[in-house]
Structures are given as structure tokens and as C-alpha cells.
Amino acid sequence: MTNKVKIAIFASGSGSNFAALEKACYVGGIPAEVVLLVTDRPDAFVTERAKQAGIPVAAFRPRDFDSKEMYEQAVLKRLQDVQAEWLILAGYMRLIGPVLLGAYPERIVNIHPSLLPSFPGKDAIGQAVAAGVKITGVTVHIVDEGMDTGPILAQCAVHVVEEDPDKTAAAIHKAEHELYAETLKNLFEK
């Protein structure tokens, strides 16, 4: 491997997936370098994680822009500035629009806390618990214009802890951290 792939990680929350991916890149588990954190919530804890890791942060509030297109154009400018080659969504709670999809065709990856196509969208863990399923899981997929509809790269199953969404969520997060790193490693080593 001559050069590491330059990735930008998109996140909206606490950033546990961001931290796991950044660490995996740092120790060589993923042949990539995190060149930017993009967040739509400047006050999210993930920004602190990025600063502690020495990763630049691009924090944009979508409401500060006249349109989604203008928001994504501002994000795209920052991505181009750092020469990001892939976009990695890690708890980013916005749908990616045409500007970024067009700039990064089949180079945007997302992780979702269910076995897609089951339980797409928000609160997939809560949806699984409410549905009474015994097995849910984690899916890594390429992002397209739909919500959690792109081509699946990898999946793993996780047992639902009945009536305990918190224990189920903890098991999901553990699986996410392992599956995402493994999937990105395989993707970037091709």
C-alpha cells in the first residue's frame, strides 16, 4: 500500500463510531487517513473527539444556508480543500443530496444499526425492539439518493435483548465499530 486513502467522516452526535474509525486508521487497521470531520451540529461531542485527535472540523448548521444545495456546496468546498477521496457517514443524521452524491459517486459509505432493508431511517434499534424481532444487526452500505437503500457491502447479526433497548444498543455499537473498520479495510485494499 503506497498511499493512504483520504477520508472525511460525517457525524452528528457523540462520535463513538468516529473515534473507533479514527483509531483504526491511526494504528493501521484501515489503510486510510482521516482528513476532516464534517458535522451539522457544531456543539456535538464528536467535535471534541476530533480536536483531541488533531483532526480538522468543518461544522456547518444547515439552517444557516438558504438551501440544502448551498449547504452541501459549502461542505464540498471544505472536502476539496483537504482532498477527501471518500465520505464515511458515522451517525450523520442528514440525507446526502445531489451535490455530494454527484461529487463522490459510489464513494460515500454509511453504517446503519439494522439488517437492511429492515428498519431503515431513524431509531432502527427502537423499531427492532418494538417489532419484537429476536435478531437485528448492522449494515454497511454505499449511499445513494434514498434513505438506507444503497448497495450493501457487509452485514452482521446482533441478538435483541428483549425489552432493553439500551443493552441492544450497546451490542449494536460494539458490532458497528468492528464491522465498519473491517469493511473499510477491505474496500480500500482492493
Side-chain angles (χ1 to χ4, degrees):
M1 187 84 204
T2 53
N3 291 324
K4 291 184 174 183
V5 175
K6 293 182 178 184
I7 64 172
I9 299 177
F10 285 52
S12 299
S14 70
S16 67
N17 271 314
F18 168 86
L21 292 174
E22 189 278 327
K23 181 179 178 183
C25 290
Y26 182 78
V27 301
I30 302 172
E33 172 189 4
V34 182
V35 295
L36 187 67
L37 165 71
V38 175
T39 185
D40 59 332
R41 297 183 182 163
D43 56 347
F45 185 69
V46 69
T47 62
E48 291 305 313
R49 290 182 191 260
K51 289 173 188 172
Q52 290 172 4
I55 307 295
V57 175
F60 299 100
R61 283 187 174 85
R63 69 174 180 255
D64 293 342
F65 295 85
D66 290 338
S67 68
K68 181 174 186 154
E69 180 181 356
M70 291 176 73
Y71 168 79
E72 286 198 346
Q73 288 289 355
V75 171
L76 181 58
K77 168 97 174 64
R78 284 299 304 274
L79 293 168
Q80 291 169 333
D81 290 345
V82 297
Q83 299 175 337
E85 298 170 277
W86 284 79
L87 310 184
I88 309 302
L89 310 187
Y92 186 64
M93 302 308 292
R94 304 188 65 75
L95 279 176
I96 299 296
V99 170
L100 294 177
L101 286 169
Y104 290 89
E106 297 182 25
R107 288 183 291 134
I108 305 173
V109 183
N110 186 41
I111 192 159
H112 184 75
S114 79
L115 292 173
L116 291 173
S118 297
F119 312 118
K122 292 183 179 180
D123 192 26
I125 298 169
Q127 290 180 57
V129 171
V133 299
K134 302 294 182 200
I135 301 286
T136 188
V138 175
T139 302
V140 179
H141 65 95
I142 297 292
V143 174
D144 63 11
E145 61 281 345
M147 181 180 292
D148 301 322
T149 58
I152 292 172
L153 298 173
Q155 291 184 304
C156 74
V158 174
H159 289 278
V160 174
V161 180
E162 291 182 41
E163 306 301 322
D164 196 338
D166 291 338
K167 284 185 180 173
T168 301
I172 291 275
H173 293 314
K174 182 178 186 305
E176 283 178 336
H177 298 167
E178 294 168 7
L179 185 66
Y180 217 176
E182 177 185 315
T183 304
L184 292 177
K185 176 182 187 293
N186 293 338
L187 186 64
F188 297 153
E189 287 180 344
K190 285 185 178 179

